[in-house]
Amino acid sequence: MRLQSALDTTPEKAAARLRPYTPVCVLACRQSGVPLADALAERLGLPGNSVASSPARHDRYRAGEALRRAGVRGAAQFAGDDSAALADWAARRGSRPVTVGPVCLADRGVTVCQGPDEVREAADRILSARPRPGGPPSPRALVREFLDGDAYTVDTVSCAGRRYVAAVRRRLTARRDGRVVHDRSLLVSRTLAPAPALIAYAHEVLDALGVVHGPARTTVVTTPAGPVLLKNSALLGDDVLPGYDDVCLGANPADLTALACTAPDDFLSRWAGLGYDKLCEAEVIVIGDRGRSPAGPGGAAVIGAIEALPSVYCFTPGPAPAGHGPGRPPFGRVHALNGSARQLERDRLHIHGLTSPAALAAPTPTPRDEAVCAC
């Protein structure tokens, strides 16, 4: 049984509906489902994360306060429902830029602001937005110091407070219209700097936020003082792909999550305390967030050309943006891997060329350059 959200049910009613099926676990597939998943697991007597600490796992501000109470490094921040107060905090802080975004992790849209006027404008947009269904009735905005450094994600799977480190990836972003958008993720070695420090910090964050069971993705930024939390999501990353991850990492977080839920003793004896191995060069490329239009009659041909590249393991199209015609536009994620970093980079540049506006108008398929390297 799939529960869409908490809109049409309460945890008590949902638990009553689910109980006859004897469920073995409750997992959130979206950030907005994390509170309901926590509440259901508790009511059904299943392994999960405490409802008491649930707010810190879906509220950016409360997550930062939880880190502060635990003595874990975090970003300077201020939250509220008054744009003037938020702008005043930024002005008194002095250092620029700052970021302004919604408090709730399920809501997107972070803006980089250079001064109090921009902070007030960005905060007003957030505070005046129509409340999201199932979200908080009174939105709040969060202003936070700008974390100027490289961003990484640390994927983990927990069972009874013990963890397996499933992947560490460098998260590359681009700025567009003041917004920070995800561009691609590059797999890094677990044993080479900065991964060990990132992993150690991620464990501290997960402990402070009460993540003792299930998957989590911890996004951190490297700073001169050390890693600092950007956000934590208590769910599988949106680019997890089991077969691909098995080839790149030797295991995949989806199967390990299932194992932690259905055979915890097996997980604890075989996987807890260990981590992945980087078995080849790998990256996940996001198409569509680069500001390039995926419209055009040649969309299917472009996808075919992308899929033919030596390093492309899988192309997963996403939904076409509103207003675009029928067809299969090149919009989504590309999972790429290769034994050669040079070939991986070459294919990435081909993909960016294929998805440029000029190429989309008259795409030309790119032939294979080399045989796929065994990984």
Side-chain angles (χ1 to χ4, degrees), residues 100-339:
V100 177
V103 164
C104 182
L105 269 173
D107 296 328
R108 298 183 179 182
V110 175
T111 304
V112 179
C113 301
Q114 295 294 334
D117 290 341
E118 292 183 11
V119 170
R120 187 180 295 104
E121 180 181 349
D124 281 337
R125 285 198 299 269
I126 295 169
L127 298 173
S128 63
R130 180 180 299 178
R132 176 179 53 83
S138 300
R140 292 190 304 153
L142 174 69
V143 57
R144 188 160 57 178
E145 68 171 302
F146 179 77
L147 300 175
D148 189 10
D150 295 332
Y152 292 82
T153 57
V154 181
D155 289 346
T156 55
V157 178
S158 302
C159 180
R162 299 180 62 198
R163 304 183 185 99
Y164 177 85
V165 179
V168 177
R169 293 183 174 89
R170 184 178 176 189
R171 183 180 176 89
L172 300 173
T173 58
R175 292 190 194 178
R176 187 170 73 247
D177 299 329
R179 296 184 302 115
V180 179
V181 296
H182 185 196
D183 190 54
R184 61 189 175 109
S185 298
L186 189 65
L187 181 66
V188 301
S189 171
R190 176 171 60 95
T191 59
L192 299 180
L198 301 177
I199 292 169
Y201 178 75
H203 283 304
E204 293 181 347
V205 169
L206 294 172
D207 289 341
L209 300 184
V211 179
V212 299
H213 184 79
R217 168 162 289 183
T218 306
T219 305
V220 302
V221 176
T222 56
T223 73
V228 176
L229 178 68
L230 187 62
K231 68 175 183 177
N232 177 268
S233 300
L235 39 78
L236 286 170
D238 53 9
D239 53 6
V240 169
L241 188 63
Y244 171 83
D245 291 338
D246 288 330
V247 175
C248 302
L249 311 168
N252 73 81
D255 286 350
L256 290 173
T257 297
L259 186 67
C261 293
T262 60
D265 290 341
D266 191 12
F267 178 91
L268 293 172
S269 63
R270 293 178 52 202
W271 300 95
L274 303 178
Y276 73 100
D277 292 314
K278 180 184 175 183
L279 302 179
C280 61
E281 302 296 331
E283 68 179 340
V284 179
I285 304 166
V286 178
I287 297 177
D289 274 348
R290 299 181 60 82
R292 295 168 175 162
S293 171
V302 174
I303 289 176
I306 291 173
E307 292 175 334
L309 292 171
S311 299
V312 174
Y313 177 91
C314 178
F315 179 89
T316 306
H324 290 176
R328 192 172 170 229
F331 179 83
R333 292 186 192 321
V334 175
H335 287 75
L337 57 86
N338 205 282

Side-chain angles (χ1 to χ4, degrees), residues 6-65:
L7 296 180
D8 55 358
T9 188
T10 63
E12 292 76 13
K13 291 180 179 179
R17 291 172 58 194
L18 290 169
R19 195 168 285 110
Y21 295 91
T22 316
V24 296
C25 66
V26 182
L27 297 173
C29 63
R30 295 181 180 179
Q31 186 63 46
S32 58
V34 169
L36 179 58
D38 293 341
L40 286 176
E42 182 175 276
R43 284 163 175 78
L44 293 168
L46 299 174
N49 299 312
S50 170
V51 170
S53 57
S54 185
R57 292 189 293 275
H58 69 271
D59 183 301
R60 291 180 174 92
Y61 178 74
R62 293 184 181 183
E65 291 302 289

